[in-house]
Amino acid sequence: MNAIVPAAVLNARCESEIIEHSDGGAEFVVSPQLTCHYEKHDATLWSRWAQRGIPSFNPELLHDLERASQLIEGYFCGNANRSLDYLVLRSGVPGAFSVGGDLGYFQRLICDGDRARLTEYARASVNVVYRNYTAHGLRGVTTIALLEGDALGGGLECALSCDIVIAERHVKAGFPEVLFNMFPGMGALSFLSRRVGRKVADEMVRTGRQYSAIELLELGVIDDVVDTGDAASAVHKLMRRREHQRAAHVAMNSVERMIRSVSLQELHDVASIWVDCAMRLQPRNLEWMQRLYQRQLAIFGRSLELVAADSADENSALAA
């Protein structure tokens, strides 16, 4: 269902690769952080990210997600022998779907006054979310976010760009950005407003509080809550339940996007405001961001950047 490609295989490849199986399935080997597993018998692609260290959208993962989107579109578009009905997003990091943006990276760019690179990051994030919102340019595909762990900030924004969001009962989610004088700028207000309206959207982004899965269901933010450990089986139940009405549900998804549309330009405009807000943060605000970042480090371990630095030091030592 969500096959794990051995790390040795991933690390041996510098370029993305699609490995096809005799049963018609396939593995999309994008990077050590991102793999996708295609099951032909139920026309489903399971996408799995598994960052080392903090499970955030680090710049490398954003690049991987954009490359994966292009691979997915190229592989399935116009090929009658490769049907795709569902695309599932899930995390391979225990306890977390995603904590959102890379706070360590943000702090460095803000302190350096590097508006250009922060803008590049924001635009890359928006492009990834929008590609998911439009099902990677593929018609008839239903996207599903599986929250088997907490989703914060950009992690929840990414989930809300899907057609369906399923959360396990223990999950908490929210937008903590306001705590350090920021706002979620990668689609939160746009996607929330499509689902629940302005009042609930405002409350969620302006308070910074975390919500339980049950609260999110009652507010209409997510679509289903299942027992811990049952998220993947819930997807199969959904597919079976919709088996004879799938065309109708796909059509309704298209209508929803038409009457409550989110444009790429809208997302880019919001992201530009987000960059302006970030570049005006005061030392006190950055201190709060640092506290949250240190808490993430304490929970998940070192950031990808620190892991990469250590790896470089080890390689240098071996070369010596």
Side-chain angles (χ1 to χ4, degrees):
M1 177 165 33
N2 191 24
I4 299 176
V5 179
V9 175
L10 288 172
N11 292 323
R13 293 182 170 86
C14 296
E15 299 296 331
S16 303
E17 184 174 350
I18 300 175
I19 304 171
E20 296 185 318
H21 302 309
S22 58
D23 63 359
E27 306 293 337
F28 291 63
V29 183
V30 182
S31 78
Q33 292 193 95
L34 180 66
T35 58
C36 305
H37 173 67
Y38 172 57
E39 295 183 343
K40 185 174 183 178
H41 66 275
D42 56 14
T44 301
L45 185 73
W46 298 79
S47 177
R48 177 182 179 271
W49 54 56
Q51 305 93 319
R52 293 179 65 184
I54 298 171
S56 66
F57 288 112
N58 57 67
E60 292 81 5
L61 180 60
L62 289 178
H63 179 68
D64 295 339
L65 288 166
E66 191 163 2
R67 190 163 68 248
S69 178
Q70 295 167 358
L71 282 173
I72 291 166
E73 182 178 12
Y75 189 75
F76 292 104
C77 186
N79 192 321
N81 295 322
R82 299 170 183 160
S83 60
L84 183 63
D85 295 339
Y86 295 93
L87 193 155
V88 183
L89 298 182
R90 70 190 308 192
S91 169
V93 179
F97 178 75
S98 172
V99 298
D102 188 335
L103 297 184
Y105 186 65
F106 292 170
Q107 290 177 79
R108 191 173 77 249
L109 296 185
I110 293 168
C111 291
D112 290 347
D114 197 338
R115 174 183 289 271
R117 291 179 69 184
L118 191 61
T119 299
E120 181 183 6
Y121 178 95
R123 293 181 68 86
S125 300
V126 161
N127 289 340
V128 164
V129 169
Y130 186 76
R131 288 285 292 174
N132 188 63
Y133 167 66
T134 57
H136 308 278
L138 300 170
R139 298 185 62 182
V141 176
T142 297
T143 54
I144 302 173
L146 279 193
L147 306 188
E148 298 163 284
D150 295 349
L152 301 175
L156 184 52
E157 288 174 300
C158 183
L160 293 174
S161 70
C162 292
D163 296 311
I164 299 169
V165 183
I166 299 172
E168 294 188 342
R169 196 169 301 277
H170 68 280
V171 164
K172 294 185 182 300
F175 299 103
E177 289 87 346
V178 72
L179 300 178
F180 45 85
N181 206 23
M182 282 292 291
F183 74 98
M186 313 307 165
L189 284 166
S190 300
F191 294 122
L192 272 174
S193 297
R194 287 180 70 239
R195 286 176 168 263
V196 296
R198 179 178 175 180
K199 183 177 180 180
V200 173
D202 267 3
E203 179 187 339
M204 288 191 66
V205 301
R206 291 179 187 271
T207 62
R209 65 168 287 219
Q210 291 187 27
Y211 294 78
S212 69
I214 294 297
E215 287 177 309
L216 293 170
L217 181 65
E218 291 172 346
L219 289 171
V221 175
I222 65 176
D223 302 285
D224 196 11
V225 174
V226 299
D227 290 336
T228 297
D230 287 349
S233 61
V235 173
H236 289 286
K237 290 177 182 177
L238 174 72
M239 290 189 289
R240 289 195 298 270
R241 191 165 63 246
R242 292 190 171 188
E243 183 177 1
H244 300 296
Q245 296 90 30
R246 202 186 73 80
H249 285 286
V250 167
M252 286 187 278
N253 289 344
S254 298
V255 172
E256 286 244 348
R257 292 191 188 98
M258 185 190 309
I259 63 177
R260 288 191 285 271
S261 62
V262 176
S263 70
L264 181 59
Q265 186 60 54
E266 173 186 327
L267 294 175
H268 278 304
D269 289 345
V270 172
S272 294
I273 297 172
W274 180 88
V275 172
D276 289 339
C277 187
M279 297 305 296
R280 291 196 298 266
L281 288 179
Q282 298 299 308
R284 174 179 171 81
N285 307 139
L286 292 172
E287 286 176 12
W288 275 99
M289 187 186 292
Q290 176 67 11
R291 289 182 190 180
L292 183 54
Y293 178 60
Q294 290 297 328
R295 182 179 178 187
Q296 292 175 352
L297 286 174
I299 295 172
F300 298 106
R302 298 172 302 167
S303 66
L304 180 69
E305 187 175 302
L306 293 175
V307 171
D310 283 357
S311 296
D313 291 343
E314 289 173 8
N315 290 337
S316 298
L318 288 173

